[in-house]
Amino acid sequence: MELAESLAAIALPCYIANATPVLVAKLLGRTHPLDFGLKLPDGHRLLGDGKSVEGFVSGVLAGTLMGWLLSPLGLSDVSRAFTLSMGSMVGDALGSFLKRRLGLRRGDPAPLLDQLSFLVVALASYQLTYGDLSPLTVTLLLLLTPPIHLATNYLAFRLGLKDRPW
Ligand code: CTP
Ligand code: MG
């Protein structure tokens, strides 16, 4: 595969999975917290209200659907995209877990963690399952994702989809 194709094959399911919860939570209005409201002994929520069941499930479904759409182009398939989408949603939740342990509130900025936690776990899950990621693809995705994430989040903020520009 060309470099641009392999970047798109990996990035698109991850980005779609990561963006979908924002839209779904906005559309639904009310969502159910993924951590069922659980608080840890440190006094902070396990994940917080920014991670919902509806967001998690819709993210995995939308990212997987992206893989199905890319499959006729030979870029991805349902199973690869499912692995990336699931990894993205777990990574995003892991990012919130770490933010809560640091005492950061829902929506507080955590530079790099906010932009990369979803991608790092997606890439790790993918590599453990398929093992065909090139170091160049990984490096470029890690470098390109933070600016893309910041730009799309700012756009979502301007469109009224997010309360904060990050
Ligand atoms: N969202 C969701 N379920 C998820 C992920 C995101 O419902 N699994 C929705 C929430 O409405 C969330 C919004 O998408 O507020 C933006 O996501 P994100 O920036 O990841 O969450 P934050 O609200 O910033 O929370 P945190 O501080 O935990 O990252
Ligand atoms: Mg956020």
Side-chain angles (χ1 to χ4, degrees):
M1 244 191 268
E2 298 274 334
L3 178 61
E5 286 177 0
S6 53
L7 285 176
I10 302 295
L12 284 173
C14 297
Y15 291 179
I16 295 293
N18 205 239
T20 299
V22 180
L23 300 173
V24 165
K26 187 80 189 170
L27 283 171
L28 292 177
R30 215 183 87 83
T31 54
H32 300 80
L34 196 57
D35 66 5
F36 297 100
L38 183 73
K39 269 192 184 174
L40 292 196
D42 63 9
H44 299 293
R45 291 277 296 277
L46 178 67
L47 303 174
D49 286 329
K51 302 298 114 140
S52 69
V53 177
E54 292 86 345
F56 190 100
V57 172
S58 63
V60 173
L61 288 177
T64 305
L65 180 70
M66 190 67 221
W68 183 70
L69 294 174
L70 289 172
S71 57
L73 306 172
L75 286 185
S76 187
D77 56 55
V78 165
S79 133
R80 282 169 194 265
F82 175 77
T83 303
L84 289 168
S85 307
M86 190 63 138
S88 295
M89 290 296 90
V90 171
D92 179 51
L94 180 68
S96 292
F97 173 83
L98 295 174
K99 284 172 76 173
R100 299 301 89 79
R101 305 291 71 75
L102 293 168
L104 296 170
R105 279 168 307 180
R106 171 191 182 178
D108 282 353
L112 293 182
L113 200 56
D114 280 337
Q115 290 83 36
L116 289 177
S117 68
F118 80 102
L119 182 68
V120 168
V121 176
L123 292 177
S125 316
Y126 183 92
Q127 186 64 0
L128 285 172
T129 314
Y130 297 99
D132 58 9
L133 278 177
S134 76
L136 181 60
T137 301
V138 173
T139 307
L140 287 175
L141 286 172
L142 290 174
L143 289 174
L144 293 173
T145 299
I148 293 172
H149 191 276
L150 288 168
T152 49
N153 276 275
Y154 181 70
L155 185 69
F157 168 71
R158 290 299 300 262
L159 291 171
L161 298 170
K162 285 199 79 173
D163 298 334
R164 293 180 178 80
W166 50 80

mmCIF file of all heavy atoms in Angstrom, residues 36-64:
data_model
loop_
_atom_site.group_PDB
_atom_site.id
_atom_site.type_symbol
_atom_site.label_atom_id
_atom_site.label_comp_id
_atom_site.label_asym_id
_atom_site.label_seq_id
_atom_site.Cartn_x
_atom_site.Cartn_y
_atom_site.Cartn_z
ATOM 1 N N PHE A 36 -20.915 4.227 35.280
ATOM 2 C CA PHE A 36 -22.103 4.090 36.146
ATOM 3 C C PHE A 36 -22.018 4.977 37.392
ATOM 4 O O PHE A 36 -22.559 4.647 38.441
ATOM 5 C CB PHE A 36 -22.336 2.627 36.553
ATOM 6 C CG PHE A 36 -22.634 1.721 35.388
ATOM 7 C CD1 PHE A 36 -21.635 0.919 34.843
ATOM 8 C CD2 PHE A 36 -23.902 1.682 34.814
ATOM 9 C CE1 PHE A 36 -21.898 0.098 33.751
ATOM 10 C CE2 PHE A 36 -24.173 0.861 33.727
ATOM 11 C CZ PHE A 36 -23.172 0.074 33.195
ATOM 12 N N GLY A 37 -21.288 6.087 37.275
ATOM 13 C CA GLY A 37 -21.197 7.026 38.391
ATOM 14 C C GLY A 37 -20.203 6.628 39.474
ATOM 15 O O GLY A 37 -20.114 7.291 40.508
ATOM 16 N N LEU A 38 -19.446 5.559 39.213
ATOM 17 C CA LEU A 38 -18.518 5.048 40.228
ATOM 18 C C LEU A 38 -17.415 6.058 40.589
ATOM 19 O O LEU A 38 -16.804 6.661 39.724
ATOM 20 C CB LEU A 38 -17.867 3.758 39.709
ATOM 21 C CG LEU A 38 -16.925 3.042 40.667
ATOM 22 C CD1 LEU A 38 -17.700 2.355 41.782
ATOM 23 C CD2 LEU A 38 -16.079 2.016 39.919
ATOM 24 N N LYS A 39 -17.212 6.197 41.908
ATOM 25 C CA LYS A 39 -16.109 7.033 42.405
ATOM 26 C C LYS A 39 -15.029 6.135 42.996
ATOM 27 O O LYS A 39 -15.330 5.144 43.648
ATOM 28 C CB LYS A 39 -16.611 7.974 43.497
ATOM 29 C CG LYS A 39 -17.075 9.310 42.990
ATOM 30 C CD LYS A 39 -17.280 10.270 44.162
ATOM 31 C CE LYS A 39 -17.853 11.589 43.651
ATOM 32 N NZ LYS A 39 -18.184 12.486 44.761
ATOM 33 N N LEU A 40 -13.774 6.475 42.781
ATOM 34 C CA LEU A 40 -12.670 5.723 43.378
ATOM 35 C C LEU A 40 -12.311 6.336 44.735
ATOM 36 O O LEU A 40 -12.754 7.446 45.050
ATOM 37 C CB LEU A 40 -11.463 5.733 42.434
ATOM 38 C CG LEU A 40 -11.635 4.956 41.127
ATOM 39 C CD1 LEU A 40 -10.282 4.703 40.474
ATOM 40 C CD2 LEU A 40 -12.373 3.637 41.323
ATOM 41 N N PRO A 41 -11.523 5.623 45.555
ATOM 42 C CA PRO A 41 -11.162 6.141 46.882
ATOM 43 C C PRO A 41 -10.483 7.513 46.849
ATOM 44 O O PRO A 41 -10.470 8.225 47.862
ATOM 45 C CB PRO A 41 -10.198 5.080 47.433
ATOM 46 C CG PRO A 41 -10.590 3.829 46.723
ATOM 47 C CD PRO A 41 -11.037 4.247 45.358
ATOM 48 N N ASP A 42 -9.912 7.909 45.703
ATOM 49 C CA ASP A 42 -9.298 9.247 45.629
ATOM 50 C C ASP A 42 -10.353 10.358 45.559
ATOM 51 O O ASP A 42 -10.020 11.543 45.497
ATOM 52 C CB ASP A 42 -8.313 9.348 44.451
ATOM 53 C CG ASP A 42 -8.970 9.179 43.070
ATOM 54 O OD1 ASP A 42 -10.229 9.146 42.983
ATOM 55 O OD2 ASP A 42 -8.228 9.088 42.076
ATOM 56 N N GLY A 43 -11.644 9.955 45.580
ATOM 57 C CA GLY A 43 -12.719 10.949 45.603
ATOM 58 C C GLY A 43 -13.167 11.390 44.220
ATOM 59 O O GLY A 43 -14.124 12.148 44.083
ATOM 60 N N HIS A 44 -12.462 10.922 43.192
ATOM 61 C CA HIS A 44 -12.822 11.307 41.822
ATOM 62 C C HIS A 44 -13.476 10.139 41.099
ATOM 63 O O HIS A 44 -13.267 8.977 41.435
ATOM 64 C CB HIS A 44 -11.579 11.759 41.052
ATOM 65 C CG HIS A 44 -10.908 12.957 41.671
ATOM 66 N ND1 HIS A 44 -11.495 14.198 41.707
ATOM 67 C CD2 HIS A 44 -9.707 13.080 42.307
ATOM 68 C CE1 HIS A 44 -10.685 15.045 42.322
ATOM 69 N NE2 HIS A 44 -9.604 14.395 42.707
ATOM 70 N N ARG A 45 -14.289 10.491 40.100
ATOM 71 C CA ARG A 45 -14.975 9.474 39.304
ATOM 72 C C ARG A 45 -13.978 8.551 38.602
ATOM 73 O O ARG A 45 -12.864 8.961 38.286
ATOM 74 C CB ARG A 45 -15.861 10.166 38.265
ATOM 75 C CG ARG A 45 -17.061 10.885 38.878
ATOM 76 C CD ARG A 45 -18.187 9.897 39.106
ATOM 77 N NE ARG A 45 -18.640 9.379 37.832
ATOM 78 C CZ ARG A 45 -19.516 10.015 37.028
ATOM 79 N NH1 ARG A 45 -20.014 11.182 37.393
ATOM 80 N NH2 ARG A 45 -19.886 9.473 35.899
ATOM 81 N N LEU A 46 -14.422 7.332 38.316
ATOM 82 C CA LEU A 46 -13.578 6.395 37.574
ATOM 83 C C LEU A 46 -13.223 7.021 36.215
ATOM 84 O O LEU A 46 -12.047 7.094 35.847
ATOM 85 C CB LEU A 46 -14.309 5.063 37.373
ATOM 86 C CG LEU A 46 -13.569 3.992 36.581
ATOM 87 C CD1 LEU A 46 -12.346 3.478 37.333
ATOM 88 C CD2 LEU A 46 -14.498 2.832 36.235
ATOM 89 N N LEU A 47 -14.246 7.480 35.483
ATOM 90 C CA LEU A 47 -14.035 8.102 34.164
ATOM 91 C C LEU A 47 -14.654 9.496 34.076
ATOM 92 O O LEU A 47 -14.108 10.382 33.426
ATOM 93 C CB LEU A 47 -14.636 7.227 33.056
ATOM 94 C CG LEU A 47 -14.144 5.783 32.950
ATOM 95 C CD1 LEU A 47 -14.956 5.019 31.901
ATOM 96 C CD2 LEU A 47 -12.656 5.733 32.597
ATOM 97 N N GLY A 48 -15.812 9.670 34.671
ATOM 98 C CA GLY A 48 -16.513 10.955 34.595
ATOM 99 C C GLY A 48 -17.621 10.942 33.552
ATOM 100 O O GLY A 48 -17.708 10.034 32.730
ATOM 101 N N ASP A 49 -18.441 12.006 33.584
ATOM 102 C CA ASP A 49 -19.621 12.051 32.711
ATOM 103 C C ASP A 49 -19.293 12.291 31.235
ATOM 104 O O ASP A 49 -20.182 12.192 30.385
ATOM 105 C CB ASP A 49 -20.581 13.143 33.207
ATOM 106 C CG ASP A 49 -21.312 12.712 34.469
ATOM 107 O OD1 ASP A 49 -21.551 11.488 34.626
ATOM 108 O OD2 ASP A 49 -21.624 13.582 35.305
ATOM 109 N N GLY A 50 -18.042 12.614 30.929
ATOM 110 C CA GLY A 50 -17.656 12.820 29.523
ATOM 111 C C GLY A 50 -17.510 11.521 28.743
ATOM 112 O O GLY A 50 -17.320 11.557 27.530
ATOM 113 N N LYS A 51 -17.586 10.378 29.423
ATOM 114 C CA LYS A 51 -17.518 9.079 28.730
ATOM 115 C C LYS A 51 -18.840 8.351 28.957
ATOM 116 O O LYS A 51 -19.155 7.951 30.079
ATOM 117 C CB LYS A 51 -16.360 8.211 29.258
ATOM 118 C CG LYS A 51 -14.985 8.827 29.142
ATOM 119 C CD LYS A 51 -14.513 9.134 27.725
ATOM 120 C CE LYS A 51 -14.368 10.603 27.526
ATOM 121 N NZ LYS A 51 -13.254 11.078 26.788
ATOM 122 N N SER A 52 -19.624 8.206 27.887
ATOM 123 C CA SER A 52 -20.939 7.573 28.019
ATOM 124 C C SER A 52 -20.984 6.233 27.290
ATOM 125 O O SER A 52 -20.193 5.988 26.366
ATOM 126 C CB SER A 52 -22.024 8.496 27.461
ATOM 127 O OG SER A 52 -21.908 8.601 26.060
ATOM 128 N N VAL A 53 -21.931 5.411 27.710
ATOM 129 C CA VAL A 53 -22.167 4.126 27.047
ATOM 130 C C VAL A 53 -22.532 4.378 25.583
ATOM 131 O O VAL A 53 -22.004 3.735 24.667
ATOM 132 C CB VAL A 53 -23.317 3.359 27.749
ATOM 133 C CG1 VAL A 53 -23.629 2.061 27.028
ATOM 134 C CG2 VAL A 53 -22.975 3.103 29.206
ATOM 135 N N GLU A 54 -23.427 5.368 25.394
ATOM 136 C CA GLU A 54 -23.897 5.672 24.036
ATOM 137 C C GLU A 54 -22.739 6.128 23.147
ATOM 138 O O GLU A 54 -22.658 5.734 21.970
ATOM 139 C CB GLU A 54 -24.962 6.767 24.089
ATOM 140 C CG GLU A 54 -26.267 6.351 24.745
ATOM 141 C CD GLU A 54 -26.264 6.503 26.273
ATOM 142 O OE1 GLU A 54 -25.182 6.666 26.871
ATOM 143 O OE2 GLU A 54 -27.359 6.451 26.869
ATOM 144 N N GLY A 55 -21.851 6.956 23.716
ATOM 145 C CA GLY A 55 -20.698 7.440 22.958
ATOM 146 C C GLY A 55 -19.756 6.305 22.601
ATOM 147 O O GLY A 55 -19.305 6.197 21.457
ATOM 148 N N PHE A 56 -19.477 5.454 23.569
ATOM 149 C CA PHE A 56 -18.551 4.339 23.360
ATOM 150 C C PHE A 56 -19.075 3.412 22.263
ATOM 151 O O PHE A 56 -18.372 3.101 21.294
ATOM 152 C CB PHE A 56 -18.376 3.572 24.676
ATOM 153 C CG PHE A 56 -17.270 2.550 24.657
ATOM 154 C CD1 PHE A 56 -16.029 2.837 25.232
ATOM 155 C CD2 PHE A 56 -17.459 1.305 24.067
ATOM 156 C CE1 PHE A 56 -15.008 1.892 25.217
ATOM 157 C CE2 PHE A 56 -16.429 0.356 24.042
ATOM 158 C CZ PHE A 56 -15.208 0.653 24.622
ATOM 159 N N VAL A 57 -20.329 2.999 22.408
ATOM 160 C CA VAL A 57 -20.905 2.032 21.459
ATOM 161 C C VAL A 57 -21.015 2.643 20.058
ATOM 162 O O VAL A 57 -20.646 2.017 19.057
ATOM 163 C CB VAL A 57 -22.282 1.527 21.955
ATOM 164 C CG1 VAL A 57 -22.971 0.677 20.908
ATOM 165 C CG2 VAL A 57 -22.118 0.747 23.259
ATOM 166 N N SER A 58 -21.483 3.894 19.985
ATOM 167 C CA SER A 58 -21.641 4.524 18.670
ATOM 168 C C SER A 58 -20.284 4.747 18.007
ATOM 169 O O SER A 58 -20.161 4.634 16.782
ATOM 170 C CB SER A 58 -22.415 5.841 18.780
ATOM 171 O OG SER A 58 -21.696 6.769 19.559
ATOM 172 N N GLY A 59 -19.269 5.047 18.809
ATOM 173 C CA GLY A 59 -17.921 5.234 18.265
ATOM 174 C C GLY A 59 -17.386 3.948 17.652
ATOM 175 O O GLY A 59 -16.849 3.954 16.543
ATOM 176 N N VAL A 60 -17.554 2.839 18.370
ATOM 177 C CA VAL A 60 -17.091 1.546 17.851
ATOM 178 C C VAL A 60 -17.861 1.199 16.564
ATOM 179 O O VAL A 60 -17.265 0.786 15.561
ATOM 180 C CB VAL A 60 -17.253 0.431 18.912
ATOM 181 C CG1 VAL A 60 -16.937 -0.933 18.316
ATOM 182 C CG2 VAL A 60 -16.354 0.698 20.117
ATOM 183 N N LEU A 61 -19.174 1.420 16.575
ATOM 184 C CA LEU A 61 -19.989 1.083 15.394
ATOM 185 C C LEU A 61 -19.616 1.953 14.192
ATOM 186 O O LEU A 61 -19.443 1.444 13.077
ATOM 187 C CB LEU A 61 -21.479 1.246 15.711
ATOM 188 C CG LEU A 61 -22.086 0.199 16.636
ATOM 189 C CD1 LEU A 61 -23.553 0.519 16.928
ATOM 190 C CD2 LEU A 61 -21.967 -1.206 16.022
ATOM 191 N N ALA A 62 -19.488 3.268 14.412
ATOM 192 C CA ALA A 62 -19.206 4.174 13.290
ATOM 193 C C ALA A 62 -17.812 3.919 12.701
ATOM 194 O O ALA A 62 -17.647 3.924 11.475
ATOM 195 C CB ALA A 62 -19.329 5.628 13.751
ATOM 196 N N GLY A 63 -16.831 3.685 13.564
ATOM 197 C CA GLY A 63 -15.473 3.408 13.075
ATOM 198 C C GLY A 63 -15.429 2.103 12.291
ATOM 199 O O GLY A 63 -14.737 1.991 11.276
ATOM 200 N N THR A 64 -16.178 1.111 12.772
ATOM 201 C CA THR A 64 -16.229 -0.185 12.091
ATOM 202 C C THR A 64 -16.926 -0.039 10.736
ATOM 203 O O THR A 64 -16.477 -0.601 9.732
ATOM 204 C CB THR A 64 -16.968 -1.211 12.979
ATOM 205 O OG1 THR A 64 -16.316 -1.251 14.258
ATOM 206 C CG2 THR A 64 -16.941 -2.603 12.369
#
